[in-house]
Amino acid sequence: MRALKIMTITVVLTMLAAGTALAGKTLDKIKERGFINVGVSEGVAGFAMPDKKGVWRGLDIDTARAISCAVFGTPDKLKFMPLTSTARFTALQSGEVDVLCRNVTTTLSRETAMGINFGHVNFYDGQGFMVPKDLGVKSAKDLDGASICTLPGSTTELNVADYFRKNGMSFKPVVIRNQAALQEAFYGGRCDCVTSDTSQLAAMRVVSPNPKKYVILPEIISKEPLAPCVSHGDDQWYDIVNASVIALINAEELGITSKNVDEKLKSNDPVVKRFLKVSEGIAGAMGVNRDFAYNIIKNMGNYGEIFERNVGKNTPLALERGKNALWTKGGLMYGFPFK
């Protein structure tokens, strides 16, 4: 009996030690390397695209910069790696990138069979259709028999097949290897229609040769909760990525912006004080400084600021907040408390 107890204690201690070692492996590598490897889209206006000077800009890019602020206290400790929809998960699973910030839809199969952990949603979207105006189509129900361009390795393939089958319609799939080729194929007339998340369709339209030539149809055929994601097996790294997005959302709810965050440090509101400087226990478990949320908001602003400067009404995409408004304003953005 004594031998059995000793064996049991040994096994438990071994498992705990292994878990502790596993928990910080990604963060340790990142700190030793000095930057975070981030998988991003090949080029989606408003979300992830280099500007004229070659600097990456967009909502997903700012999400990655927030994670950098949490880890390093500065937004620029990043290396961006453009990835196709078919290569993105392989790059994540192989450790080539530490996190994906590239319009990735959270799904059950990806969370389980593919071994991926999704952080908090940073953009709620849905799949739609875009067609040339001169095609005369007013509704997706008018697309029976149409040729439709889509990317491989994405949720769009299954969604469009389900939609047409459900409505007793047929279509001709035109599967294109990457985003640049997809746009070229659609603008060149290889297909009647292109389907993707509506935000990506809006991004495609603004970079087209003639944006007024194309229309996004009214039907939304799926739920596409987009979020940064990491591989299974490192809860600490997942916590950092998750909390970075939630910090952006909570800051907006608390009325903390990049402009007033220093003044908010003097606030007597216990919730604000706890948010801008979390407890030593929480910070220690995450492997970050107590002021990680302050560093995020000081450098990047809150979620509303990030949304508006990248895809909001005063940008070429001119997207409404809609589902991406705070829960207090009729949207779905809701972050857990920092306590």
Side-chain angles (χ1 to χ4, degrees):
M1 178 67 79
R2 180 179 174 80
L4 180 60
K5 287 183 178 180
I6 293 173
M7 183 181 296
T8 301
I9 292 171
T10 301
V11 170
V12 171
L13 289 175
T14 301
M15 291 174 66
L16 289 173
T20 302
L22 181 65
K25 62 174 183 166
T26 306
L27 184 60
D28 290 343
K29 288 180 181 178
I30 289 170
K31 287 184 175 180
E32 182 178 358
R33 185 196 305 140
F35 57 88
I36 304 168
N37 287 319
V38 184
V40 297
S41 300
E42 303 158 273
V44 177
F47 288 86
M49 180 176 282
D51 63 16
K52 294 179 180 178
K53 296 182 179 179
V55 178
W56 283 87
R57 307 285 185 189
L59 188 144
D60 283 332
I61 299 301
D62 282 353
T63 300
R65 295 193 192 283
I67 299 169
S68 175
C69 289
V71 175
F72 294 106
T74 179
D76 56 0
K77 299 293 186 179
L78 302 166
K79 180 180 179 180
F80 297 114
M81 184 177 297
L83 296 168
T84 64
S85 57
T86 52
R88 54 186 171 173
F89 296 124
T90 302
L92 181 63
Q93 292 161 340
S94 68
E96 191 175 1
V97 297
D98 304 307
V99 59
L100 289 179
C101 292
R102 65 163 318 284
N103 301 72
V104 185
T105 301
T106 306
T107 69
L108 183 59
S109 62
R110 291 171 177 174
E111 279 269 11
T112 54
M114 293 186 70
I116 294 170
N117 281 342
F118 285 86
H120 198 283
V121 173
N122 72 336
F123 195 88
Y124 288 96
D125 211 340
Q127 186 173 332
F129 302 91
M130 183 165 69
V131 297
K133 280 185 179 179
D134 58 16
L135 195 64
V137 171
K138 303 297 183 183
S139 166
K141 298 290 180 64
D142 300 329
L143 292 173
D144 191 14
S147 56
I148 300 180
C149 283
T150 186
L151 290 170
S154 65
T155 56
T156 57
E157 288 182 286
L158 178 61
N159 291 339
V160 71
D162 287 347
Y163 179 79
F164 274 75
R165 188 179 300 113
K166 175 182 177 181
N167 288 283
M169 303 189 302
S170 64
F171 73 101
K172 302 170 186 176
V174 182
V175 181
I176 307 297
R177 65 185 184 278
N178 59 43
Q179 185 67 32
L182 178 75
Q183 294 176 183
E184 183 179 350
F186 177 61
Y187 301 146
R190 280 189 59 189
C191 49
D192 303 312
C193 169
V194 61
T195 185
S196 187
D197 297 344
T198 54
S199 63
Q200 294 194 48
L201 295 178
M204 284 181 60
R205 182 167 60 181
V206 299
V207 299
S208 69
N210 185 358
K212 294 182 179 180
K213 183 179 177 181
Y214 304 99
V215 61
I216 298 174
L217 300 178
E219 287 84 359
I220 304 296
I221 68 170
S222 70
K223 295 184 292 184
E224 305 294 329
L226 309 178
C229 57
V230 300
S231 291
H232 277 183
D234 193 332
D235 289 343
Q236 184 188 51
W237 179 233
Y238 165 78
D239 288 342
I240 292 171
V241 171
N242 192 43
S244 296
V245 179
I246 292 172
L248 297 170
I249 298 166
N250 282 359
E252 183 179 11
E253 184 179 340
L254 292 170
I256 304 172
T257 70
S258 57
K259 294 181 180 179
N260 70 14
V261 65
D262 287 318
E263 186 65 27
K264 290 289 185 178
L265 284 172
K266 306 171 187 175
S267 173
N268 291 321
D269 185 333
V271 177
V272 172
K273 292 173 69 175
R274 190 162 49 238
F275 172 75
L276 291 176
K277 185 164 286 191
V278 300
S279 72
E280 289 285 2
I282 293 174
M286 290 175 62
V288 298
N289 292 329
R290 292 182 62 191
D291 58 355
F292 81 94
Y294 166 85
N295 288 329
I296 289 174
I297 308 310
K298 179 67 175 178
N299 286 282
M300 304 310 305
N302 62 37
Y303 180 78
E305 290 177 274
I306 287 176
F307 184 99
E308 292 302 332
R309 73 167 166 259
N310 289 300
V311 300
K313 58 185 178 181
N314 293 321
T315 70
L317 267 68
L319 300 181
E320 299 289 339
R321 285 292 293 268
K323 295 184 289 294
N324 295 293
L326 292 176
W327 66 284
T328 54
K329 297 183 178 180
L332 299 177
M333 284 297 172
Y334 184 113
F336 61 59
F338 275 26
K339 60 183 178 181

